[in-house]
């Protein structure tokens, strides 16, 4: 390749690159911060004082990368976030107990903490949701992507989720930004709590369903729409498609037809 051609290619790349302001290290630093959060909150061998000091340093580096308001630096969010951690941890312990109590395959609470992708996704959600409430840009969404990448569960940090909460198997679960889930809800793999319509003009409207307390939603059910409410105590069967509300204590199932063509010549 000639030097002139190489320089021309570089100029074109630089021109396109200048159109965005990404600092890609934000992503890797968010992953590191999320891992440190888990170690500090859940690992017996990690000293809490040391862990919190390390978290503060990592957070301030992140905040300086994502915040652009000199008069209101979001590194100051750290103190308020830190105050919330005991309450978040208490909720997560309640989530873990709820999982153990409801899943016959769970042999111990340690197994839930270490091996359950649903618990990991819930934990990342609760931590990222708290940061989102304080207005920290980008980082909460990147934290949710840590869970999405490792578990296949996509919970937008803007969702409102009660306590306790149980996601079994976890893979393929999608919970949208304006979804509201009350206490003691159980959902299974492949469940989508989504919007009826994807349209930018709906950004500030409630687009995702409300799930009342003590609801169970089985695998691959899809529930859509901001006005859709699943009444308390209801059970939604597998593969159900819902765009309308159902009253309390409903039992909703999907009726399928299985047709088997037999070869009469085959005895």
């Amino acid at each position: 390749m000639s030097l002139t051609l190489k320089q021309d290619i570089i100029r074109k790349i630089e021109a396109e690159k200048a159109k965005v302001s990404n600092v890609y290290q934000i992503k890797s630093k968010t992953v590191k911060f999320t891992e440190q959060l888990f170690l500090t909150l859940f690992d017996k061998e990690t000293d809490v004082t040391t862990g919190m000091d390390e978290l503060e340093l990592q957070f301030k580096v992140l905040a300086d990368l994502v915040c652009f308001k000199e008069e209101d630096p979001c590194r100051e969010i750290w103190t308020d976030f830190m105050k919330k951690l005991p309450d978040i941890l208490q909720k997560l312990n309640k989530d873990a107990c709820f999982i153990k109590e409801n899943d016959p395959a769970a042999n111990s609470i340690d197994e839930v903490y270490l091996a359950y992708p649903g618990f990991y996704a819930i934990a990342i959600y609760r931590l990222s949701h708290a940061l989102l409430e304080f207005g920290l840009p980008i980082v909460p969404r990147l934290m949710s992507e840590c869970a999405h990448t490792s578990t296949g569960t996509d919970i937008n940090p803007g969702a409102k989720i009660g306590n306790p909460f149980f996601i079994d198997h976890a893979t393929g679960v999608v919970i949208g930004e304006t979804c509201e889930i009350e206490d003691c809800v159980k959902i299974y793999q492949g469940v989508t709590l989504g919007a009826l319509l994807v349209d930018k003009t709906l950004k500030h409207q409630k687009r995702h369903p409300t799930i009342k307390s003590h609801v169970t939603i089985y695998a691959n059910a899809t529930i859509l729409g901001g006005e859709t409410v699943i009444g308390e105590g209801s059970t939604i069967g597998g593969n159900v498609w819902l765009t309308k509300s159902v009253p309390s204590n409903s039992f909703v199932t999907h009726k399928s037809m299985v047709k088997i063509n037999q070869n009469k010549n085959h005895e």
Side-chain angles (χ1 to χ4, degrees):
M1 180 184 293
S2 69
L3 180 60
T4 302
L5 177 58
K6 181 178 179 180
Q7 290 174 337
D8 183 54
I9 292 170
I10 289 172
R11 279 195 298 270
K12 288 177 180 178
I13 291 173
E14 288 175 340
E16 290 301 316
K17 188 176 179 179
K19 295 176 182 178
V20 296
S21 57
N22 294 332
V23 181
Y24 206 78
Q25 62 176 307
I26 293 172
K27 190 168 185 176
S28 60
K29 290 185 182 299
T30 297
V31 171
K32 186 178 178 182
F33 175 72
T34 304
E35 290 174 348
Q36 185 63 47
L37 267 173
F38 250 72
L39 287 173
T40 303
L41 295 177
F42 298 114
D43 180 47
K44 187 177 180 180
E45 300 299 317
T46 299
D47 177 70
V48 176
T49 300
T50 304
M52 292 299 288
D53 288 344
E54 177 62 26
L55 280 170
E56 183 174 7
L57 291 173
Q58 291 184 21
F59 181 85
K60 288 182 175 179
V61 170
L62 265 176
D64 287 345
L65 286 171
V66 301
C67 295
F68 306 101
K69 299 178 183 177
E70 293 185 7
E71 73 282 2
D72 184 25
C74 56
R75 60 163 49 201
E76 304 303 325
I77 291 171
W78 172 251
T79 300
D80 292 328
F81 177 65
M82 187 169 62
K83 290 176 184 177
K84 284 216 165 195
L85 288 177
D87 180 60
I88 293 171
L89 184 56
Q90 187 178 50
K91 286 182 177 179
L92 290 172
N93 287 333
K94 193 174 178 181
D95 291 323
C97 290
F98 188 58
I99 293 170
K100 181 178 179 295
E101 289 165 3
N102 284 277
D103 186 0
N107 298 304
S108 68
I109 200 72
D110 285 343
E111 185 177 346
V112 173
Y113 284 118
L114 295 172
Y116 271 62
F119 175 76
Y120 181 77
I122 294 167
I124 297 299
Y125 156 74
R126 296 207 186 282
L127 293 163
S128 63
H129 179 75
L131 284 173
L132 187 70
E133 287 183 329
F134 292 122
L136 184 67
I138 303 173
V139 173
R141 193 68 183 90
L142 288 174
M143 288 175 67
S144 72
E145 278 305 300
C146 291
H148 190 192
T149 299
S150 63
T151 69
T153 302
D154 187 2
I155 307 177
N156 191 289
K160 297 177 181 178
I161 300 178
N163 184 233
F165 181 48
F166 176 20
I167 305 175
D168 198 12
H169 302 296
T171 306
V173 169
V174 176
I175 300 175
E177 180 186 27
T178 63
C179 189
E180 295 180 18
I181 300 173
E182 294 187 355
D183 302 335
C184 300
V185 169
K186 295 180 285 184
I187 66 176
Y188 289 76
Q189 70 272 16
V191 168
T192 296
L193 305 177
L196 268 172
L197 178 66
V198 179
D199 189 321
K200 196 67 174 179
T201 62
L202 301 176
K203 178 174 176 59
H204 300 293
Q205 297 182 30
K206 189 177 187 305
R207 308 181 302 280
H208 306 92
T210 296
I211 313 298
K212 294 292 188 178
S213 298
H214 300 281
V215 167
T216 299
I217 307 173
Y218 284 103
N220 299 314
T222 297
I223 304 173
L224 306 177
E227 296 182 0
T228 303
V229 178
I230 305 303
E232 183 174 352
S234 294
T235 297
I236 310 300
N239 298 307
V240 164
W241 175 282
L242 270 178
T243 58
K244 294 182 180 180
S245 298
V246 299
S248 299
N249 302 309
S250 296
F251 185 69
V252 183
T253 59
H254 168 73
K255 185 178 181 181
S256 61
M257 180 183 296
V258 178
K259 185 177 180 181
I260 300 175
N261 293 321
Q262 294 181 325
N263 186 346
K264 295 182 179 180
N265 295 325
H266 180 72
E267 296 294 334

